[in-house]
Amino acid sequence: MLSRPKPGESEADLIHFQNQFLAARASPAVKIVKKADKRKGEEGSTDVERPPLQDSKDVVMLDDFPDILPALTPGPPKKSKIKSASVHFEDEDPEERLESHDRHITAVFSKIIERDTSAVAVTMPVPTGDPFPRTFHRSEIKSEVKVGSGRKSIFAQKMAARRAAEKEATAPSAAECVQIRSAPRDALDPEGSAEEAPRPGNRDDKADDFFTTQRPCIITGEGLGNQNSEQEAQAIHKENLEKLQSMSQEEILQEQEKLLAQLDPSLVAFLKSRRGVNVGQKNELKKEQNRPEEFVESPTVPQHGVGASLSIQESGLEESVRKEENMKMEMTDDDLPVKPKKEWVHMDNVEFEKLEWMKDLPSPRQKKTKKGMQARFSLKGDLIPADADLPTHLGLHHHGEEAEKYLDWTFSWYQGMAAFPFVPKNEEEEEEEEEELTGTEKSQNKKLKDENKPDPDVARYDVVKGLLKTRIQHRLRYILEVVRPVPTVVLDILHILTHIARHSSEACSQLLDCPRLIDTIVREFIPTQWDPHVAEPGCLLTSLHGVACSTAMKFIRVLASGGRNATARLLNKFEMKSRLIRFIAEDPQDLLLPKEEAIRLSTEAFRLWAVAAGYGQACDLYRDLYPVLVRILQSLPELLSSCHEKNPMRELSVQRATAVITLLMHVTQTAGCTVELQAKLSSNSSEASEQIPPPPVAWNHVSGLQPFIETGLKKILQEISQTETWQTLQPLTTTYMIYLGVYYRACSQQPSVNPIDCLEELERLTSEVLQPLLSQPAICSMWDLLRPCSALCNPLSCSPGPESVLSIISLSCTGGKPSLNLVGSKSPFPFLTALLFLINSITRIHKGLISKYSSVLSFGGLKDYLHQSWQTGPPSVTPSSAWMLRHEYHLQYFVLALAKRMVGTCPDYRQHASLHHCVALALLSRLLPGSEHLAYEVLLDLAFNPEFLPEGKTGGPEAADFSDILHLGTSAKLAQPASAAAASSKPTRGALLKESYQNLPVIRSCYLSHFVHLQPALVHSQASYEGRNYLIQSMLLPEVKGPILPSDWPFFPLISLYNKVTNAETRGAVLNSLPLDLVNTVTWNLQWVLLLETWRAKTLQSIPTAAKLARLMCVFLTGGDLFLEALIHCYTAALLSIYCQPKVLDSLNLDAPLPGLASFHDLYISLLEQFEGVSFGDPLFGVFVLLPLQKRFSVHLRLSVFGEHTSILRALGVPLQQFPVPLERYTSPPEDNLNLLRLYFRTLVTGALRHTWCPVLYVVAVAHVNSFIFSQDGTTQEADAARKSMLRKTWLLVDETLKKHLLYYRLLNAESPLGFDLYEQLPPMRLKYLQTVIQKENKENALVLVS
């Protein structure tokens, strides 16, 4: 006997099995018997005419399907003239009778003839904003209209009312009818009527209209090849009118009779329909004619001629329509394919209006209407004509009006989605469209969408976009250029423009494109010459025009931050280069401005130059202004002495010095890229799409700056113990350290620098500067301030303000903030971040110095901060909080990067490994857009690094096995459910952990490959963090909608595979078995999750338990037999045992919204359907089905199993010993849903639920039914009657075993084979209640018998 096909066998194996079967000449297990066709007689069932098969292949042939296409128009179904006298047999199969009414697929075949549409104007349909044609609901129709006699359903009444309302809406009023009829001819014919012959007086109004119409009704000119088709049609129409006017009335009647005799009647009806009017309009017109109004003249001449004949024929057509409508309302037994009989249940009174859907559908008619009609679609999504006759066997038809026209969308969700695949929400559709676009296309697409929205809607979610949509920049330009207001108004306008420029690169582009706006600001507020009297003390400015202004320079600097193209336009088109030289070359003291304003203007000039140098631009000014820069560096030590004095200008001077060092840092970064760009330019690489020229500065131009910076840093660090002085100089110190880090990182990559000299300089800097600094008490106090000033540990410090507006960040930074925060003057974050950046740059170059900085990770304040920060919940992300959180994430990353270098070199580092690994995992789910480079580095070097999981080497797997043996901390049964396909013993959780730990390198590769969609953003982020200025596009941070990676990123490969398989199956693919690489992907995903759930469980606490279970369900919903793979089954079972622990089950909440899941109920229904189809009764699959059926979860989940999917009860055979959830979670408290209790009782009594098939739910159902039938608590009358009825039926059960279980159930017992204990005898109270119920029924039965 041949075996069944097994998973993994290919199509070639199946063909081999087929050949073996045919060679053995064995009898098949199934025979196909074709019934004789009664319509064709006995000959119709023979196979004599079939050609013999030429080979052994199976051939499927369609009976009586012609090789030649049938006629274009299918013949109408034959109707028997003696239908009422037809003979029916009692044993005749109703299914055969229904089949006899069916039609063939050839009814939809038609001939397609292409027409000439070259001269036809193409008009697009009017957009409605709806994904589907507009439908109506019966609740929208008023039902005041009374229908005729007879019983009418509510739906029929509503449809009649809707038809009446449509007639009223389309019928013209009396005044309109009279106005049309009494209108003068020249009103209808503006061209005049003098040239036309007078009309015969016996012609009626309809003939009048026919002669006076200006456009033809039959000939339109469409389809003609030439472009003058409309003129030709008009000429033909004019010729016809002249011909008719020259004929007498008798000649017209004779010609009409000839034409009617020669033409096809259907063509005549079509021509009349083009001239016909609505039946309702004609009735209203007749009513108006019969009314005795003074201004309505009744015709005195009898109507005859063309108009009369047309009206007579149209009235006959109208009468036939009315007859057809009356025939619709009347229905008899003969119209039904199956005749109802009175013996059938509830068929003693036949309601024909409810059986109308069973009769044959009439042929569809084309309505004469100008109103929009509902579109007709086939089940494949193709648009079909309104009058096409579709046979009923092609799909269900809806039960409303004109059922012959519209197919029912509920027939097949799959076919419907093939036509309109998963119509998303507007937001989802926009996001999906944006994912397919490039960066430039995204911005253009977003701009177009914003332009199409009304101004209030745009301003409601983004104030700045709303302002730009109102063209506020043009208004402000007019005020500045023409009105020339007072200085305070000018400053306010510049502040507004600065806020707008900070918004986005698109906002900067709109400001730059505003005509004369930037020209006016540069000419009027950043001039190179101005009146020297403004510098005089006490001078009161009456106008700011023509005077240099630092606020205007700040606006230009912020505008330049919007992008490298904006900066290039500012430097070249608006001549900002010459102004930079003007305000940088001259000392602030020499500028003819007030001293404070001169320093601010100089500071903003350096900042603007720093922004330009950050793009690699304006570096040619460095060589020209090099003496000025050196002079400033030499004067910085004097700044330290001025800080000891209470100088009001010291903070401004420190800001200017900081701007200078920032400029030098960007120039140094640009100079460090010169060698790389020269090498790319000289190489003849065809892959390079764009050749970037080297910058005008080289490394030898900036190599002499380091001594000045290091000297200044040493002097400032000597003041670290002076609190007030240190707070003033801390920004400059921070910039010094960042510059040194950037300098040495670039220096190590220069071929002209001796590597030994570079290493010696680093050793000297470590021994002379940094090591003494780390031993300072002030540094220890800084580490202690990390936690109080942290935005993660203190969410209030970055919470939105009372007047916060997302698009205006500055409003979120005022009010309600603690004194210690990340951006406060006492915050240690800026300096410590710069210090860690410098240490990382040194240890990255000089590996031998790593151990010198081991004390950094041992500071108690740092460890306390890290421990507290990773355990806090996810912070709220707003535009203002994102800016602060980004700086805090930088500090955490530099700590982790230093820890990664110490793993292999410091023996005592192992004690910090677990803490740093938890911080790395938390940081991965928090990093914001723009920091993709950091996320990549954490994934690459930290998250999957075995050194950060010391449990894998120090007995972690063995401890897990020991914990499972002793059941430490849990009373749950940790036995894993068996597999339907497993034949060998299962590995322990320790063995699984050990294998997962060994696979960490391949697990890392798996996750990195699944995050490849972030590659474009990663390239931009790497350019920013690695100092490749020539690749940086903008200094503005990207828009923040949330973290880079989702919080459930550990499940990402599994979710991604599930989505791909689901989409493939939606398109029609059948994926029962997945390729090996996809199976390995799921295995590695489960291994990583198992490692985290065992050794890093708290890092996943932000993911709800229900969300974890939902993602694990994807294992069963992906493919047909993925869960039967041995390794996948083992790892899924191990994770299930973790999620079934009591504390985890207590946190399980299936009723709350889950991230990434629209409805858990829908997911569960999919799981039930998958279980019915492919589960093979797998116990592990069964546990996932049983988990959501706990009593505290939604009753709809249990109703789905016992109401719609009772077939799974036979395959849900999870043994009680392998079920990891206590049954008390299913039986307590007692069930109070009456419908569910009835379903429990029905499945038990009918045998659909048995202990041998489904022991878990059998125990649950018995417990709930027993509690219900013996409950004597006060309840509703319906519930009381139901429980007494169940009790009586239980007493009368023939199945003694079930009867005993239902009556004698006592309580749950996990040790019992049944799962519960039984009473040996019923308790007296229950026995008395049972007797009372039974005796009462016997008395009632006796009374019935006596009566």
Side-chain angles (χ1 to χ4, degrees), residues 834-888:
L835 176 62
L836 290 169
F837 172 72
L838 176 57
I839 293 175
N840 271 282
S841 299
I842 294 173
T843 54
R844 180 181 180 180
I845 302 169
H846 198 320
K847 309 297 183 184
L849 297 177
I850 295 177
S851 58
K852 302 289 185 180
Y853 298 100
S854 59
S855 61
V856 173
L857 302 180
S858 301
F859 283 104
L862 176 61
K863 291 190 292 184
D864 179 60
Y865 158 72
L866 294 176
H867 184 76
Q868 180 68 22
S869 65
W870 78 265
Q871 296 190 70
T872 59
S876 61
V877 178
T878 62
S880 58
S881 67
W883 182 80
M884 291 186 284
L885 291 172
R886 189 182 304 274
H887 290 283
E888 187 163 356

Side-chain angles (χ1 to χ4, degrees), residues 1140-1340:
C1140 289
Q1141 295 178 5
K1143 290 184 178 180
V1144 182
L1145 288 176
D1146 292 340
S1147 65
L1148 182 61
N1149 184 10
L1150 301 179
D1151 299 329
L1154 300 178
L1157 191 63
S1159 170
F1160 183 83
H1161 182 270
D1162 295 344
L1163 179 69
Y1164 186 69
I1165 296 300
S1166 302
L1167 190 72
L1168 293 179
E1169 295 172 352
Q1170 188 81 343
F1171 185 85
E1172 289 176 330
V1174 300
S1175 69
F1176 300 102
D1178 183 72
L1180 178 62
F1181 201 160
V1183 173
F1184 275 87
V1185 173
L1186 292 171
L1187 265 178
L1189 301 180
Q1190 299 177 44
K1191 179 62 179 64
R1192 62 193 182 96
F1193 300 139
S1194 173
V1195 69
H1196 297 289
L1197 300 177
R1198 301 190 289 278
L1199 287 172
S1200 300
V1201 174
F1202 285 91
E1204 304 169 6
H1205 299 275
T1206 54
S1207 59
I1208 70 171
L1209 298 176
R1210 184 159 188 168
L1212 205 55
V1214 181
L1216 292 172
Q1217 295 76 17
Q1218 296 182 11
F1219 191 58
V1221 183
L1223 291 179
E1224 288 80 6
R1225 293 181 178 269
Y1226 293 83
T1227 60
S1228 179
E1231 184 61 61
D1232 55 356
N1233 187 283
L1234 188 57
N1235 293 330
L1236 182 57
L1237 288 167
R1238 286 171 174 164
L1239 292 175
Y1240 282 157
F1241 187 73
R1242 186 181 71 180
T1243 54
L1244 288 170
V1245 172
T1246 57
L1249 178 59
R1250 301 180 185 180
H1251 190 276
T1252 55
W1253 291 348
C1254 185
V1256 174
L1257 293 184
Y1258 181 86
V1259 174
V1260 173
V1262 168
H1264 283 301
V1265 172
N1266 175 270
S1267 175
F1268 180 67
I1269 62 178
F1270 283 109
S1271 174
Q1272 301 180 38
D1273 299 335
T1275 184
T1276 62
Q1277 184 177 359
E1278 182 185 7
D1280 183 65
R1283 65 190 180 190
K1284 290 180 180 178
S1285 174
M1286 285 187 192
L1287 182 57
R1288 288 192 292 266
K1289 292 177 181 179
T1290 303
W1291 177 255
L1292 298 175
L1293 279 176
V1294 179
D1295 189 346
E1296 294 295 333
T1297 303
L1298 178 60
K1299 178 179 178 181
K1300 184 177 181 181
H1301 290 171
L1302 290 176
L1303 293 177
Y1304 289 87
Y1305 171 85
R1306 184 177 181 181
L1307 49 81
L1308 296 174
N1309 183 4
E1311 305 298 330
S1312 172
L1314 288 175
F1316 54 86
D1317 292 334
L1318 297 172
Y1319 287 109
E1320 294 182 0
Q1321 294 181 350
L1322 280 178
M1325 184 176 296
R1326 288 194 171 190
L1327 181 60
K1328 181 179 179 180
Y1329 179 71
L1330 175 62
Q1331 292 173 352
T1332 303
V1333 174
I1334 300 301
Q1335 290 174 1
K1336 183 177 180 181
E1337 182 190 14
N1338 293 335
K1339 289 180 181 180
E1340 291 176 354

Side-chain angles (χ1 to χ4, degrees), residues 526 530 553 571 576-591 598-613 618 621-622 624-632 656 659-660 663-664 667:
I526 316 179
W530 57 89
M553 185 68 77
L571 293 176
M576 287 306 300
K577 270 190 178 182
S578 61
R579 283 164 171 78
L580 284 178
I581 298 174
R582 167 70 175 85
F583 297 112
I584 288 175
E586 194 169 0
D587 192 86
Q589 298 177 356
D590 299 332
L591 288 174
I599 297 177
R600 289 194 183 97
L601 183 59
S602 178
T603 302
E604 291 298 337
F606 277 110
R607 289 174 177 173
L608 173 59
W609 190 10
V611 170
L621 300 180
Y622 173 78
D624 300 336
L625 298 176
Y626 183 79
V628 177
L629 297 174
V630 172
R631 187 176 67 249
I632 294 175
R656 179 173 179 268
V660 173
L663 163 68
L664 297 178
V667 174

Side-chain angles (χ1 to χ4, degrees), residues 775-1084:
S775 61
Q776 292 282 342
I779 292 294
C780 297
S781 61
M782 285 187 185
W783 296 112
D784 296 335
L785 283 175
L786 283 176
R787 180 174 174 180
C789 296
S790 167
L792 290 173
C793 302
N794 304 279
L796 182 62
S797 63
C798 62
S799 60
E803 299 180 357
S804 64
V805 178
L806 294 181
S807 53
I808 305 179
I809 301 176
S810 60
L811 292 182
S812 301
C813 302
T814 59
K817 309 298 181 185
S819 58
L820 292 175
N821 56 65
L822 191 141
V823 295
S825 59
K826 297 182 179 180
S827 174
F829 276 91
F831 175 75
L832 292 181
T833 303
L835 176 62
L836 290 169
F837 172 72
L838 176 57
I839 293 175
N840 271 282
S841 299
I842 294 173
T843 54
R844 180 181 180 180
I845 302 169
H846 198 320
K847 309 297 183 184
L849 297 177
I850 295 177
S851 58
K852 302 289 185 180
Y853 298 100
S854 59
S855 61
V856 173
L857 302 180
S858 301
F859 283 104
L862 176 61
K863 291 190 292 184
D864 179 60
Y865 158 72
L866 294 176
H867 184 76
Q868 180 68 22
S869 65
W870 78 265
Q871 296 190 70
T872 59
S876 61
V877 178
T878 62
S880 58
S881 67
W883 182 80
M884 291 186 284
L885 291 172
R886 189 182 304 274
H887 290 283
E888 187 163 356
Y889 296 157
H890 286 166
L891 181 138
Q892 292 187 355
Y893 169 76
F894 292 136
V895 171
L896 296 175
L898 182 60
K900 183 253 177 184
R901 295 188 177 91
M902 291 187 178
V903 165
T905 57
C906 301
D908 56 345
Y909 169 76
R910 193 178 298 272
Q911 57 180 334
H912 308 300
S914 298
L915 172 62
H916 293 156
H917 193 236
C918 292
V919 174
L921 295 176
L923 185 62
L924 264 180
S925 60
R926 294 174 177 175
L927 285 172
L928 302 173
S931 301
E932 288 81 6
H933 173 66
L934 304 186
Y936 176 78
E937 292 294 327
V938 173
L939 282 172
L940 187 66
D941 297 330
L942 296 166
F944 303 98
N945 193 333
E947 300 294 336
F948 287 92
L949 281 165
E951 294 86 349
K953 295 182 179 180
T954 57
E958 293 79 6
D961 286 340
F962 190 66
S963 174
D964 292 346
I965 294 173
L966 298 180
H967 294 182
L968 291 179
T970 176
S971 59
K973 293 177 266 186
L974 297 178
Q976 299 177 5
S979 170
S984 58
S985 60
K986 297 180 182 179
T988 62
R989 187 157 64 108
L992 296 176
L993 287 170
K994 190 173 183 180
E995 182 182 10
S996 303
Y997 184 80
Q998 295 173 351
N999 287 341
L1000 278 175
V1002 293
I1003 293 174
R1004 179 186 65 178
S1005 302
C1006 172
Y1007 277 84
L1008 288 175
S1009 64
H1010 277 82
F1011 294 136
V1012 72
H1013 64 281
L1014 299 174
Q1015 184 66 27
L1018 175 62
V1019 172
H1020 294 294
S1021 179
Q1022 284 178 338
S1024 176
Y1025 281 97
E1026 294 179 355
R1028 297 183 179 179
N1029 296 348
Y1030 59 91
L1031 295 177
I1032 297 176
Q1033 300 299 321
S1034 174
M1035 296 290 182
L1036 297 180
L1037 297 175
E1039 184 180 0
V1040 176
K1041 294 182 179 179
I1044 300 172
L1045 301 180
S1047 59
D1048 61 344
W1049 68 267
F1051 295 90
F1052 188 79
L1054 177 58
I1055 298 173
S1056 177
L1057 178 60
Y1058 165 73
N1059 290 332
K1060 290 180 180 178
V1061 171
T1062 303
N1063 293 336
E1065 291 176 346
T1066 304
R1067 292 191 296 267
V1070 179
L1071 303 174
N1072 290 327
S1073 299
L1074 298 180
L1076 182 60
D1077 58 336
L1078 299 183
V1079 174
N1080 291 335
T1081 297
V1082 178
T1083 305
W1084 296 329

